[in-house]
Amino acid sequence: MADVRFTRSIDKDQLARLKAAREEADAAYNAALSALDAALPAVPAMPHPSAPADESQITPLNERSAIVGATPLPGGVKGWLLRPVWGLVAPLFARQEAFNATLVDHVNRNVAAARSGRDSQIALIETLRLELERLATFHSALIIYLQQITPYVDSKDYEFDALSTRRTEDVGQAVETLHHRTVGPGGAISGVGDELNRRLEMLAVREHRYTARVAALDAAHAQLAQSLGVVTRATQTLKREVEQLRAGSVERAGDTGRAGSPSRPSTEGTAGESFATGGIESFKYVGFEDQFRGSTTVIRERLQDYLAVFDGQQDVLDIGCGRGEFLDLLRQQGIRARGLDINHEMVEECRQRGLDASEGDALSYLQGLEDDSLGGIFAAQVVEHLQPDYLVRLLQRAGEVLRPGGVLALETVNVACWFAFFQSYVRDITHVRPLHPDTLAYFVRASGFPHVDVQYRSPYPEVHKLQHVPGADAAAYAMNANVDTLNSLLFTHLDYAVIARKP
């Protein structure tokens, strides 16, 4: 077997340069530590407390403060002669004696204060000395800690460097040994490695381009699918209209010859005034619903909670049934229900799924029903499409066609939430008038439903609301109070439902 000679990747000169650079950095670091150590202040000499009060004359002052005392006058002629003189000088001695007593009392009182003040000075100086000694001890410990950082980091670097160098050299030696044992000298392994690296780089570039093209294709596919949906619905609508034209060409020709005969049914006084589909073709509004209101799965999840409202009821009418999500949920619960929508395309979609749905105006449909014939009326995202007069008449008739105990549930956009108003409400051009929760609840109550419950739904995510600022001071409290006020106006519940039961 041929001898294997492994060439080190780092020569001695390079190691020497690295070592010199490390030693230079260590010297600069140690010099900085020495300068820091020298700059640390020493514990200064503590001041001495003030001299104690001179109390040497306190006792003589107390003993000599009395001048006259209780000495009586002598008797006889001497006492008789001294009595007039004593009457003159006694008041003077009495005043002097009172002054002496006051002065001695003052001195006695200040002795205790002087002692207490000096004791406080001694305690303060001792406390200051201890704290300065502790600070100096901390400074010394900090310098020692900083001095230990360099060897600690160096030991880690040396260990990891040695391990990585050892592993690299072992791998290199193993590769070179394998090369000598298989293909022999000549650098074949190195050439293959370079070629592999070039291939990998090319593959990475191609993968990046492929990812970008796939993303563009996905976006184009989504746009094409939406366009195809619109075209398909338009084609179906045109096909039905052509068939109707063929079937009734003779009758329409005769009608056209009569003056004043309209070519299309009049929608005056109906929901057509507020939810007109002549300008927005039915198939286009279905596409609008698909894109902005949500998929069928999303709508089913949102309407799931209303099943409990109609529990135990039968003959439920879903006004504005749309694609039939709620009708499907009611059917699964065994509740007999039918749908009504003014949009022909949505009615056709419901019928294709086997649901009972009719095309027509809500008020006209209710007027064609008998009183007390329905167990429930449901309308989700419908009332905001109606003119006020039409809505009032619809609510009045709803109270007549419901049986006693029947349920009326109306869901609409919560325009009291500013985010919902400027997003959901304003975005749909078929909306006629915003309905505040108080307004809708009032008109439902005035239409014969004494007990009205307003339920707020679809709460705005907490994580996206304005957040409180940290802190417990007055500024933080005021800021957080303003944040709560803004959240209550901007980001509350996106929808609400007015739910009433006929007595």
Side-chain angles (χ1 to χ4, degrees):
M1 185 188 337
D3 294 334
V4 177
R5 295 185 179 180
F6 178 73
T7 303
R8 300 290 180 179
S9 59
I10 302 177
D11 57 17
K12 293 182 179 181
D13 294 337
Q14 191 173 0
L15 286 175
R17 288 194 299 271
L18 293 174
K19 182 178 180 182
R22 171 54 64 88
E23 289 176 351
E24 182 180 357
D26 288 344
Y29 180 80
N30 292 329
L33 281 180
S34 299
L36 179 61
D37 190 21
L40 294 179
V43 179
M46 294 292 102
H48 297 289
S50 59
D54 186 5
E55 302 180 14
S56 59
Q57 299 299 324
I58 297 300
T59 301
L61 282 174
N62 282 283
E63 293 175 350
R64 299 172 185 176
S65 61
I67 299 177
V68 178
T71 305
L73 292 175
V77 177
K78 186 178 181 179
W80 180 78
L81 293 174
L82 290 175
R83 188 171 288 109
V85 177
W86 179 254
L88 294 175
V89 301
L92 299 176
F93 286 133
R95 291 182 61 187
Q96 182 64 42
E97 188 172 277
F99 171 78
N100 292 345
T102 303
L103 179 63
V104 169
D105 181 72
H106 174 73
V107 172
N108 290 335
R109 291 177 181 275
N110 278 274
V111 168
R115 291 175 181 173
S116 175
R118 188 170 186 275
D119 292 341
S120 298
Q121 291 177 359
I122 294 173
L124 177 61
I125 292 171
E126 180 64 16
T127 301
L128 182 61
R129 182 185 65 78
L130 291 176
E131 291 300 320
L132 290 176
E133 288 180 354
R134 291 174 182 172
L135 183 60
T137 302
F138 171 76
H139 287 166
S140 300
L142 180 61
I143 293 298
I144 294 173
Y145 167 77
L146 293 175
Q147 291 173 344
Q148 297 300 319
I149 291 179
T150 299
Y152 174 79
V153 174
D154 288 347
S155 63
K156 295 290 185 182
D157 289 343
Y158 293 150
E159 179 183 6
F160 292 136
D161 184 68
L163 289 174
S164 60
T165 303
R166 179 65 178 272
R167 295 292 183 269
T168 303
E169 292 175 353
D170 289 344
V171 172
Q173 189 172 5
V175 170
E176 188 169 348
T177 302
L178 180 62
H179 170 75
H180 280 279
R181 289 181 178 178
T182 54
V183 300
I189 295 296
S190 177
V192 172
D194 293 339
E195 181 65 21
L196 287 176
N197 287 333
R198 286 193 293 271
R199 294 291 180 88
L200 289 174
E201 291 176 358
M202 293 176 61
L203 288 175
V205 173
R206 290 180 180 177
E207 182 181 2
H208 179 72
R209 293 177 180 174
Y210 174 77
T211 302
R213 290 178 180 177
V214 169
L217 287 174
D218 288 341
H221 178 268
Q223 185 175 3
L224 179 60
Q226 182 178 352
S227 300
L228 287 176
V230 174
V231 171
T232 301
R233 295 187 183 99
T235 303
Q236 293 174 351
T237 300
L238 291 175
K239 181 180 178 181
R240 283 191 295 270
E241 290 182 356
V242 168
E243 292 176 352
Q244 292 174 1
L245 286 173
R246 288 178 178 176
S249 58
V250 177
E251 290 80 1
R252 282 195 299 275
D255 292 340
T256 305
R258 292 193 294 267
S261 298
S263 59
R264 299 182 64 178
S266 173
T267 58
E268 184 178 357
T270 67
E273 297 177 341
S274 55
F275 192 5
T277 57
I280 303 178
E281 291 89 347
S282 297
F283 63 87
K284 289 185 179 179
Y285 194 77
V286 173
F288 180 85
E289 289 273 302
D290 292 340
Q291 181 172 354
F292 292 105
R293 191 184 178 200
S295 64
T296 300
T297 302
V298 172
I299 300 303
R300 282 174 58 90
E301 292 177 354
R302 289 183 58 247
L303 301 180
Q304 186 79 30
D305 295 341
Y306 288 111
L307 290 177
V309 175
F310 295 95
D311 187 26
Q313 301 291 342
Q314 292 294 336
D315 300 320
V316 175
L317 176 64
D318 184 0
I319 298 177
C321 61
R323 296 166 298 194
E325 294 91 349
F326 193 60
L327 290 175
D328 197 24
L329 291 172
L330 292 173
R331 180 172 60 180
Q332 293 178 4
Q333 291 296 114
I335 298 176
R336 191 169 53 253
R338 68 193 98 160
L340 180 68
D341 205 294
I342 199 172
N343 189 299
H344 179 78
E345 298 298 327
M346 291 187 177
V347 172
E348 288 297 322
E349 186 172 342
C350 290
R351 290 173 177 173
Q352 291 175 5
R353 293 163 53 192
L355 300 172
D356 184 2
S358 302
E359 179 182 354
D361 168 60
L363 181 58
S364 300
Y365 187 88
L366 292 181
Q367 289 173 344
L369 298 178
E370 296 182 359
D371 293 352
D372 301 335
S373 60
L374 294 180
I377 296 177
F378 178 71
Q381 306 297 322
V382 172
V383 292
E384 66 273 15
H385 296 273
L386 307 178
Q387 292 287 356
D389 292 341
Y390 183 93
L391 174 61
V392 171
R393 285 184 289 163
L394 181 67
L395 295 177
Q396 185 66 35
R397 183 55 186 162
E400 295 169 352
V401 299
L402 283 174
R403 306 185 188 105
V407 178
L408 173 66
L410 307 175
E411 180 195 272
T412 184
V413 180
N414 181 20
V415 293
C417 171
W418 294 2
F419 180 85
F421 177 79
F422 289 108
Q423 288 290 323
S424 300
Y425 185 84
V426 175
R427 183 167 52 206
D428 192 340
I429 62 175
T430 64
H431 287 166
V432 172
R433 179 146 327 173
L435 286 171
H436 192 277
D438 295 342
T439 303
L440 184 57
Y442 169 80
F443 281 108
V444 171
R445 191 178 296 109
S447 300
F449 298 90
H451 302 293
V452 175
D453 181 25
V454 178
Q455 297 181 2
Y456 292 92
R457 305 171 60 83
S458 303
Y460 192 84
E462 291 290 335
V463 68
H464 297 315
K465 291 184 178 181
L466 300 175
Q467 302 299 313
H468 283 183
V469 298
D473 55 356
Y477 177 81
M479 176 65 72
N480 292 333
N482 291 331
V483 166
D484 292 337
T485 301
L486 287 175
N487 282 332
S488 66
L489 295 173
L490 297 173
F491 310 118
T492 55
H493 293 78
L494 305 182
D495 298 314
Y496 73 92
V498 172
I499 299 176
R501 190 178 298 271
K502 182 176 179 180

